[in-house]
Amino acid sequence: MKAAVMYTPLNICLLFIPVSWALHYTDQNHTLVFVFSALAILPLAALLGLGTEQIALRTSQAVGGLLNATLGNIVEMIIAGIALKECDLALVQSSLLGGLLSNLLLVLGMAFIVGGFRFPQQEFQPMAAQLNSSLMTVSVISLLVPAAFHEYLGDRLGGEEGPLLLQLSRGSAIVLILIYIAYLFFVFYSHNHLFIDVSPSTSKQSSVRSSIHASETGTILPVTDVDAPAPIHFEMVKVNVPVAIAILIGSTALAYLTAENLVSSLNGLVEHTSVSKEWITLIVIPVISNAAEHVTAVVVAHKGKFDLAMNVAVGSCIQIALFVIPVLILVAWGLGKPLTLLFDPIETICLFLSVLIVKFSIEDGKSHWMSGVALIGVYVVIALSFWNYPVANTIQPTDLVCS
């Protein structure tokens, strides 16, 4: 428990949890409710990261990355579930897509920069990087097809577009879930030998071996420091499993209650400020909810665990795109709410371009700090473009009404 309390200076923000509740239940200013609720969620997300990190220490980097991605997405799933219950389908879609952009560009970019300052070249499994790129491309296709369907066939279908779009989205959701299950089987069972952890020491040894081989064949090579050992970090278990599970359960419960206040204050905040609702839902809320993944990816990249950083950042995106969004589509189907895969076209284009630049950055299994600068630059450009995003009418077909 002491390790949990002293885990991060952000824990001081736990004091804002009762403050945000008091402001909400006494009907105070919506801006104050939103700000204090957001500040209260930050340490909860960090504590979720602590619990998953301590459990992950007892597993491999692949399993640890999956745990971090799964439990790191809890806050996003809570916010999306609350918005779905209140029929705010636009908030469901933009917050989840914002989570994808945040993980792909901001989290991965920061991991590349921090790791790049300690290691001139960051190496990770190229097979995993290529697979992640392919799966993210699949997820983007699943969003582009409904957008093209709506854009080019909506006028010709008339009143039949809504039911057909729901049918397309629900069928696609089932396919995406099956792909995600096959992905887990591929990573953890059939081809788990391809996902062996790569550390700076092993990558350096491989480069030394290749240098020796090249010198034997007569190739002239630059002189390198063969004897310099790469730094090795030993992780210490700070929290036992029962306490880690208790932290996860408690943080999740508090995050749910606090996220309810945050979502309910969103519309009032937009009415009293000049910031667009799209900017808040696409940029601010995902950054808050991704705090645990952001910290985890940056810390492990600083320690040289680039495979784990990749699994946390990109693995989280794959889980959102291939599992969380499809599951919400099916849950909305069961609740009788018309949630579809038809997202805002500008947001979808931004995601498509983001996947492209990430694919070019990681597909060879190597990266450096300049790649991180490029990723964060793209994220800043997207954030600026949505600052004054106009309030648009719903892009959903008029015959799809949520009640």
Side-chain angles (χ1 to χ4, degrees):
M1 295 303 297
K2 180 181 178 182
V5 172
M6 304 298 293
Y7 175 62
T8 172
L10 284 176
N11 282 348
I12 193 68
C13 292
L14 291 171
L15 298 174
F16 293 136
I17 295 177
V19 175
S20 65
W21 293 0
L23 292 172
H24 172 73
Y25 290 112
T26 55
D27 296 325
Q28 299 299 317
N29 184 277
H30 290 288
T31 302
L32 289 176
V33 175
F34 183 89
V35 170
F36 280 97
S37 298
L39 291 174
I41 287 177
L42 283 175
L44 295 174
L47 289 175
L48 283 170
L50 170 64
T52 54
E53 175 188 353
Q54 293 302 305
I55 295 176
L57 286 177
R58 298 167 171 84
T59 64
S60 68
Q61 289 192 25
V63 177
L66 177 64
L67 287 173
N68 275 285
T70 302
L71 297 175
N73 288 331
I74 283 181
V75 177
E76 291 172 320
M77 290 187 281
I78 288 173
I79 292 175
I82 293 171
L84 180 62
K85 182 179 68 174
E86 297 181 359
C87 265
D88 194 346
L89 303 184
L91 174 57
V92 176
Q93 294 178 325
S94 60
S95 63
L96 291 173
L97 194 141
L100 294 175
L101 294 175
S102 174
N103 279 299
L104 280 175
L105 301 176
L106 182 62
V107 177
L108 191 60
M110 284 298 298
F112 283 165
I113 289 177
V114 173
F117 285 154
R118 291 201 63 201
F119 304 95
Q121 181 170 277
Q122 305 166 70
E123 296 188 12
F124 34 84
Q125 287 292 346
M127 173 67 73
Q130 293 166 11
L131 177 62
N132 290 338
S133 300
S134 299
L135 292 178
M136 284 307 304
T137 304
V138 170
S139 67
V140 171
I141 291 174
S142 70
L143 300 181
L144 289 175
V145 170
F149 184 91
H150 172 72
E151 181 68 24
Y152 296 104
L153 298 179
D155 294 337
R156 283 184 270 175
L157 293 174
E160 298 180 358
E161 182 191 4
L164 290 178
L165 191 59
L166 282 174
Q167 182 180 1
L168 171 62
S169 299
R170 290 162 181 172
S172 300
I174 295 173
V175 173
L176 292 177
I177 292 174
L178 294 176
I179 292 176
Y180 185 70
I181 294 173
Y183 162 72
L184 295 180
F185 181 81
F186 181 88
V187 170
F188 295 110
Y189 185 73
S190 68
H191 288 69
N192 56 355
H193 60 282
L194 298 176
F195 296 86
I196 301 173
D197 300 340
V198 171
S199 64
S201 58
T202 58
S203 61
K204 189 162 189 174
Q205 291 169 5
S206 63
S207 63
V208 170
R209 285 194 298 268
S210 62
S211 301
I212 295 173
H213 174 72
S215 63
E216 289 174 350
T217 58
T219 305
I220 299 176
L221 295 171
V223 177
T224 58
D225 186 6
V226 176
D227 297 327
I232 300 174
H233 295 271
F234 296 95
E235 296 291 338
M236 180 181 298
V237 176
K238 301 177 182 178
V239 179
N240 58 38
V241 173
V243 174
I245 294 174
I247 290 173
L248 293 176
I249 295 174
S251 300
T252 302
L254 291 173
Y256 177 82
L257 296 174
T258 309
E260 276 193 320
N261 302 341
L262 183 132
V263 172
S264 64
S265 65
L266 182 58
N267 290 327
L269 170 67
V270 174
E271 292 174 0
H272 294 88
T273 60
S274 60
V275 181
S276 69
K277 183 178 180 180
E278 287 292 327
W279 190 82
I280 295 174
T281 57
L282 193 71
I283 304 298
V284 177
I285 292 179
V287 168
I288 294 169
S289 58
N290 282 336
E293 292 161 343
H294 198 157
V295 172
T296 301
V298 170
V299 168
V300 298
H302 179 73
K303 296 176 180 177
K305 296 183 176 181
F306 305 123
D307 281 296
L308 180 53
M310 281 285 299
N311 287 332
V312 172
V314 184
S316 175
C317 293
I318 291 174
Q319 188 176 78
I320 293 174
L322 299 183
F323 185 74
V324 175
I325 293 178
V327 165
L328 283 174
I329 295 288
L330 299 182
V331 169
W333 185 11
L335 297 176
K337 300 183 185 297
L339 181 63
T340 68
L341 290 175
L342 178 59
F343 284 56
D344 184 276
I346 304 299
E347 295 177 2
T348 305
I349 291 173
C350 289
L351 178 63
F352 170 68
L353 298 176
S354 300
V355 170
L356 278 184
I357 188 172
V358 171
K359 175 180 172 63
F360 295 145
S361 299
I362 69 174
E363 62 183 354
D364 62 347
K366 300 177 183 178
S367 188
H368 41 73
W369 65 266
M370 191 60 208
S371 298
V373 171
L375 295 180
I376 292 181
V378 173
Y379 188 74
V380 172
V381 170
I382 292 174
L384 290 174
S385 67
F386 281 95
W387 177 264
N388 291 313
Y389 197 78
V391 178
N393 296 326
T394 177
I395 62 170
Q396 304 295 332
T398 55
D399 53 339
L400 294 182
V401 179
C402 186
S403 58

